[in-house]
Amino acid sequence: MKKFMHKALATVLAVASVSSLAACGSSSSSDDRKITIGIKFDQPGVGFKKGGTYTGFDVSVARYIANYMGYEDYQIEWKEAPSKQREAMLQNNDVDMILASYSITDDRKKTVDFAGPYLVAGQDLLVRSDNTTIKGPNDLNGKRLCSVTGSTSAVVIKEKYSDKVQLMEQPGYAECATALFSGIVDAVTTDNIILAGLAANSRGRLKLVNAPFTQEHYGVGIHKGNTGLAQQINAAIKEMVSSGAWQKAIEDNTRGTGFSPDKEYNPPKATEGEGK
């Protein structure tokens, strides 16, 4: 009965807040309601579009949140949210929320708000499956390391761990993975769950080192000042964790990669954005 009342209250709150969701339909008909969510389209295991299908851990969390708020799957409109466009998409009301490997930072909070976090990821390394010498960021001197243009991940390694590493930038992680396949580079670096998705997509040719050395708090980007929406999202995340759906989503999207969220930080407590 308690869970039923919780669900019912969430549905009432969702309906009451329709006017604050920029992309939701203005009609009172439930068939006309929609919620627009920004995700990545090019990160296997995190946010990935293939044909008309959307998969990945971010997608699983976003779908759970939307369902918790009273939206059916067919009422979710997915939009691609490239890293450089995320703040602008929220400020321009192009989306209601963004789940796109979106780390909560003080700088970003100057222009947008966050709910969550729903995952604490960590920077890690991806190597070829037969590699036995690279076990962490200190093992990269004299090696070639790939990261995506605009990312600071490789710079962190060069400045803090291996100052003689050779850096290569590519426009996307798929290109970094291709360079790793072919032997052009020795490792790829970014957040571990993104690397796990690449490993899962590699048919056993790549593996995650699984030795994270930073903490990245993934949040749900929302419009500035919308504490009511943050509360609903956080309640959904908490229920997802307590129901076991969060752990299942992790396992389903990273199966066979060796990825395991750092238990010291995961699952995280979702309290961001509530104005407390």
Side-chain angles (χ1 to χ4, degrees):
M1 177 61 74
K2 184 178 179 181
K3 186 173 182 180
F4 173 80
M5 292 300 294
H6 192 195
K7 286 275 192 179
L9 178 59
T11 301
V12 170
L13 288 171
V15 172
S17 65
V18 165
S19 61
S20 70
L21 296 178
C24 290
S26 59
S27 170
S28 60
S29 169
S30 61
D31 288 339
D32 292 338
R33 294 177 65 230
K34 69 175 182 177
I35 185 167
T36 306
I37 303 177
I39 58 170
K40 291 293 180 69
F41 280 9
D42 60 351
Q43 291 180 350
V46 180
F48 190 68
K49 178 183 179 183
K50 185 174 182 180
T53 302
Y54 303 89
T55 60
F57 181 68
D58 282 0
V59 176
S60 297
V61 177
R63 188 175 283 119
Y64 195 100
I65 291 169
N67 293 165
Y68 179 92
M69 292 172 61
Y71 294 92
E72 302 293 337
D73 288 356
Y74 73 87
Q75 294 174 311
I76 303 173
E77 179 182 353
W78 303 103
K79 280 196 174 183
E80 185 172 16
S83 295
K84 292 183 179 180
Q85 298 177 25
R86 290 177 298 200
E87 286 83 20
M89 290 177 72
L90 286 167
Q91 289 177 308
N92 295 335
N93 293 324
D94 295 327
V95 292
D96 299 312
M97 62 183 72
I98 290 178
L99 292 89
S101 53
Y102 201 7
S103 296
I104 301 170
T105 68
D106 289 339
D107 189 54
R108 287 169 178 162
K109 285 164 68 173
K110 293 175 182 176
T111 54
V112 301
D113 278 344
F114 289 92
Y118 59 90
L119 177 71
V120 179
Q123 188 177 338
D124 209 332
L125 298 169
L126 187 71
V127 298
R128 288 183 290 277
S129 295
D130 60 356
N131 186 288
T132 59
T133 60
I134 299 175
K135 299 178 180 180
N138 292 308
D139 299 325
L140 292 168
N141 277 322
K143 305 293 186 181
R144 294 160 296 179
L145 178 67
C146 188
S147 68
V148 169
T149 304
S151 169
T152 60
S153 299
V155 176
V156 168
I157 289 176
K158 190 174 181 68
E159 291 182 348
K160 294 186 177 182
Y161 298 98
S162 297
D163 60 0
K164 294 181 177 60
V165 66
Q166 301 172 41
L167 304 184
M168 170 187 283
E169 290 188 339
Q170 292 292 332
Y173 292 110
E175 290 84 355
C176 275
T178 299
L180 186 57
F181 289 146
S182 60
I184 296 172
V185 298
D186 301 296
V188 178
T189 190
T190 187
D191 297 346
N192 50 5
I193 192 167
I194 298 173
L195 297 177
L198 294 172
N201 214 38
S202 73
R203 299 180 180 179
R205 292 179 290 176
L206 304 178
K207 68 179 180 181
L208 185 67
V209 170
N210 209 19
F213 48 93
T214 67
Q215 291 82 47
E216 303 295 334
H217 293 73
Y218 282 9
V220 182
I222 58 176
H223 305 131
K224 194 73 174 171
N226 199 336
T227 57
L229 181 57
Q231 289 170 354
Q232 292 179 63
I233 292 170
N234 289 343
I237 294 169
K238 291 171 186 174
E239 184 187 272
M240 188 178 186
V241 170
S242 65
S243 70
W246 183 91
Q247 183 62 36
K248 185 177 186 301
I250 287 283
E251 293 170 358
D252 288 348
N253 288 293
T254 63
R255 196 177 306 280
T257 66
F259 172 78
S260 178
D262 191 330
K263 291 182 180 179
E264 183 179 352
Y265 305 102
N266 288 285
K269 295 181 179 179
T271 58
E272 187 74 34
E274 297 186 0
K276 296 179 181 179

